[in-house]
């Protein structure tokens, strides 16, 4: 972290440059800006957020990473004392403590940032098309019973814009997961790259690429539930069902997942079976709860 220079070498600048727009840089910028400093937050990539913005959960509480970082991203973008300088790198630094001069190289964005609203219309009108790698013929052969399920779903959504999500949701609902051969078939039918489909399927918790049990047991590992012993509850549940977190019982009855906050922290520790929430759950309550789903 270095202070920006002014012409007068003796004067203290009162402005600060923070280098790196990850969670540490963002929090430092917010703290400095709140203390009355003018902050220049320099980030090499086109957007701030860093690695944390790509994480699903954070150790050790399994809190949702985006839930933690999103309010800070917005605060950073809106703070009048913070100037974001993204897509840029530091190429020179001279001066001394209290009075630095920096040289920054800013790469072009090929859009006018003052006008861009992030609507995405430019990507739809872009004349350059992406190469779609053909799916192997052998991968397209799905069983007749699968085609009877998938073809009507594709026919229903194929013509609409953004058809992939509703197609995946319906397939996931029918099979309780997304079979890989069906996804290859969907990719070919919708003219999409299979890797894009996997990217979406792996990003959303609602989708699974592995077969799942008939009932989903979610053990809340949010902060409140965790301090109330949710980790021991999860361990006990896994022992009882002879599986592991994320696993499915052999009889395909239950899939166990750890969840983030279920929205009922006053009932911690909480678990949810399908859509039903159980609060203040003790280890001894588990057999009775599971019996309801036999
Ligand atoms: S932390 Fe478990 S319900 Fe909120």
């Amino acid at each position: 972290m270095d202070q920006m220079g002014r012409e007068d070498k003796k004067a203290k600048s009162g402005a600060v440059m923070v280098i790196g727009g990850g969670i540490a840089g963002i929090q430092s910028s917010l703290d400095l800006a709140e203390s009355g400093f003018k902050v220049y937050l320099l980030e090499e990539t086109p957007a701030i957020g860093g690695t944390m913005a790509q994480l699903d959960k954070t150790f050790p509480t399994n809190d949702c990473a985006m839930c933690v970082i999103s309010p800070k991203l917005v605060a950073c973008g809106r703070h009048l004392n913070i100037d974001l300088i993204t897509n840029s790198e530091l190429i020179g630094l001279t001066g001394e403590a209290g009075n630095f001069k920096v040289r920054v190289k800013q790469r072009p964005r090929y859009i006018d940032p003052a006008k861009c609203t992030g609507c995405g219309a430019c990507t739809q009108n872009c004349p350059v098309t992406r190469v779609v790698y053909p799916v192997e013929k052998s991968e397209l052969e799905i069983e007749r019973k699968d085609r009877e399920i998938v073809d009507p779903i594709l026919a229903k959504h194929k013509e609409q814009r953004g058809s992939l999500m509703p197609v995946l949701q319906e397939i996931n609902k029918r099979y309780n997961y997304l079979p890989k051969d069906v996804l290859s078939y969907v990719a070919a039918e919708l003219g999409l790259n299979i890797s894009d489909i996997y990217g979406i399927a792996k990003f959303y918790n609602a989708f699974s690429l592995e077969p799942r049990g008939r009932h989903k047991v979610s053990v809340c590992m949010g902060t409140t539930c965790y301090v109330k012993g949710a980790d021991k509850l999860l361990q006990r549940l896994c022992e009882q069902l002879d599986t592991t977190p994320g696993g499915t019982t052999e009889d395909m009855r239950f899939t166990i997942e750890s969840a983030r906050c279920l929205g009922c922290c006053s009932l911690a520790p909480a678990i949810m079976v399908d859509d039903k929430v159980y609060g203040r759950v003790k280890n001894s309550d588990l057999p009775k709860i599971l019996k309801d789903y036999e």
Side-chain angles (χ1 to χ4, degrees):
M1 192 184 308
D2 304 304
Q3 287 196 324
M4 291 280 291
R6 293 265 173 92
E7 291 303 315
D8 180 359
K9 287 199 170 180
K10 285 179 189 153
K12 303 283 184 200
S13 72
V16 179
M17 173 165 275
V18 176
I19 299 174
I23 182 67
I26 290 170
Q27 188 60 56
S28 305
S29 302
L30 287 171
D31 291 344
L32 287 159
E34 282 301 307
S35 310
F37 288 95
K38 174 73 186 176
V39 178
Y40 296 89
L41 176 53
L42 187 76
E43 167 59 32
E44 198 179 3
T45 64
I48 58 169
T51 307
M52 190 170 177
Q54 299 165 24
L55 297 179
D56 180 22
K57 297 166 191 158
T58 50
F59 182 80
T61 56
N62 271 345
D63 279 334
C64 162
M66 277 313 284
C67 304
V68 175
I69 201 172
S70 298
K72 296 181 193 294
L73 295 176
V74 175
C76 232
R78 288 188 180 160
H79 206 296
L80 296 177
N81 271 353
I82 300 178
D83 274 4
L84 296 179
I85 311 173
T86 52
N87 219 15
S88 307
E89 61 183 303
L90 184 73
I91 54 170
L93 177 69
T94 53
E96 57 192 32
N99 197 343
F100 284 109
K101 255 190 178 177
V102 295
R103 286 185 66 219
V104 170
K105 179 177 164 191
Q106 191 160 33
R107 288 183 286 274
R109 280 180 177 271
Y110 306 105
I111 53 145
D112 184 346
K115 290 182 186 156
C116 177
T117 58
C119 69
C122 56
T123 55
Q124 277 160 23
N125 292 309
C126 181
V128 181
T129 49
R130 171 178 61 116
V131 178
V132 176
Y133 296 102
V135 178
E136 289 289 324
K137 176 98 180 61
S138 57
E139 292 179 54
L140 291 179
E141 286 163 8
I142 59 172
E143 289 184 27
R144 191 189 180 132
K145 65 176 174 41
D146 290 323
R147 288 193 64 155
E148 281 169 9
I149 294 172
V150 178
D151 282 345
I153 296 174
L154 286 169
K156 188 168 144 196
H157 299 287
K158 202 170 179 179
E159 299 305 325
Q160 78 194 43
R161 212 169 121 196
S163 56
L164 182 59
M165 276 304 273
V167 166
L168 292 184
Q169 281 166 335
E170 285 203 34
I171 292 173
N172 196 61
K173 200 169 166 192
R174 287 300 300 270
Y175 291 89
N176 218 8
Y177 79 111
L178 299 172
K180 290 182 181 165
D181 51 349
V182 170
L183 290 186
S184 298
Y185 181 72
V186 168
E189 289 294 310
L190 294 182
L192 297 172
N193 203 325
I194 186 69
S195 59
D196 290 343
I197 298 188
Y198 278 127
I200 290 175
K202 286 180 178 170
F203 181 79
Y204 291 100
N205 275 344
F207 297 137
S208 169
L209 292 169
E210 301 299 331
R212 287 195 289 195
R214 291 188 295 284
H215 303 289
K216 185 169 94 171
V217 186
S218 306
V219 180
C220 179
M221 297 293 276
T223 310
T224 316
C225 289
Y226 187 86
V227 296
K228 293 261 188 177
D231 55 334
K232 295 193 181 64
L233 203 59
L234 179 62
Q235 191 184 352
R236 182 76 196 95
L237 186 66
C238 289
E239 283 167 10
Q240 194 159 335
L241 293 177
D242 194 20
T243 184
T244 51
T248 299
T249 54
E250 258 183 42
D251 59 4
M252 301 300 288
R253 201 150 51 99
F254 296 107
T255 293
I256 302 179
E257 287 180 357
S258 60
R260 295 177 286 271
C261 181
L262 294 175
C264 52
C265 309
S266 59
L267 298 178
I271 71 171
M272 188 158 88
V273 184
D274 298 334
D275 293 331
K276 188 169 176 186
V277 173
Y278 297 83
R280 299 195 186 97
V281 181
K282 298 193 228 42
N283 283 356
S284 56
D285 297 332
L286 291 173
K288 189 172 174 304
I289 292 172
L290 296 177
K291 203 162 189 301
D292 292 344
Y293 298 89
E294 274 177 0

